Amino acid sequence: MDHAALFGQAIHRRRCFQLPGYMTLAEIGFDGPWVSPIQIISGNLTGPMLITKDWFDAPSAVKNRKVLLEQGYLPGIPFNAVLDKALSLIGLTRRDIYITPVFKLLPPKRSHSIRNADTRASFQAVTQHELLGRKPIAAGQDAIRALEHFGIPHIPTVHPSARGLDYETRATLIAKAFEKS
């Protein structure tokens, strides 16, 4: 089966996945031809794959609807500033890569702690079907734990929003992970 067909199956799986306490993309008006809206810009099915914790929380997604539906991400926030810097260090753009969250639902608030069992359920139901033979870069402990739990070979790195490190250090570590992919 080709990548586009497998991607279509992952979209279908995401549409079917639900857990109590979390919103689906459809429930807040973000359903579309993607597994995660970040793929509006970063959905290269053959490019390096970056797996992160989640895409956004429900209230922030609703508040920033216009820009998120245009770009799939919110420019200027630490996560995106660091990721853009990392990509520029290695001569890539967002269109060259594939980004997906390990957790496909929307938490009820920003920086919400997601139970490991919920992250694993999301990975098993949806995210594993996006791998398409790639060795993903796991950004942050949530992504690393999920991939380790399922025995998926990956390249671990820091989360772009990791606390305790400056932007330059985070960007450099993430760039090095992309170079290994």
Side-chain angles (χ1 to χ4, degrees):
M1 192 173 288
D2 67 29
H3 284 119
L6 291 169
F7 183 68
Q9 288 179 3
I11 293 169
H12 174 74
R13 289 174 171 280
R14 186 259 306 152
R15 287 177 174 151
C16 294
F17 183 68
Q18 297 181 2
L19 286 174
Y22 301 101
M23 304 286 291
T24 66
L25 292 175
E27 288 173 316
I28 63 163
F30 278 89
D31 192 15
W34 47 71
V35 181
S36 172
I38 201 162
Q39 296 156 2
I40 291 169
I41 298 293
S42 301
N44 187 326
L45 295 179
T46 59
M49 178 183 216
L50 180 71
I51 298 181
T52 64
K53 176 186 172 193
D54 56 15
W55 171 63
F56 240 97
D57 62 276
S60 296
V62 170
K63 179 181 175 186
N64 296 285
R65 175 181 306 284
K66 185 178 186 318
V67 69
L68 291 172
L69 285 174
E70 289 171 5
Q71 298 185 47
Y73 72 100
L74 194 58
I77 63 173
F79 177 100
N80 290 313
V82 169
L83 181 56
D84 287 341
K85 184 165 191 55
L87 293 173
S88 73
L89 289 172
I90 54 173
L92 293 177
T93 69
R94 285 178 179 264
R95 292 197 185 279
D96 295 322
I97 66 172
Y98 184 94
I99 302 174
T100 197
V102 69
F103 190 69
K104 298 301 193 251
L105 300 174
L106 296 129
K109 63 182 180 178
R110 192 168 169 252
S111 299
H112 182 75
S113 179
I114 300 169
R115 293 177 344 131
N116 286 336
D118 293 345
T119 300
R120 287 192 298 265
S122 181
F123 183 88
Q124 190 168 30
V126 185
T127 312
Q128 72 175 338
H129 301 282
E130 296 175 85
L131 296 175
L132 306 177
R134 293 176 285 201
K135 182 177 183 179
I137 299 163
Q141 290 305 307
D142 293 283
I144 292 167
R145 273 193 299 272
L147 290 162
E148 285 177 349
H149 177 81
F150 289 101
I152 306 291
H154 61 280
I155 301 161
T157 193
V158 298
H159 191 278
S161 299
R163 294 182 177 106
L165 299 172
D166 62 38
Y167 281 27
E168 186 71 32
T169 302
R170 284 182 261 164
T172 300
L173 291 170
I174 293 167
K176 286 179 181 178
F178 271 104
E179 288 174 335
K180 292 177 186 176
S181 69

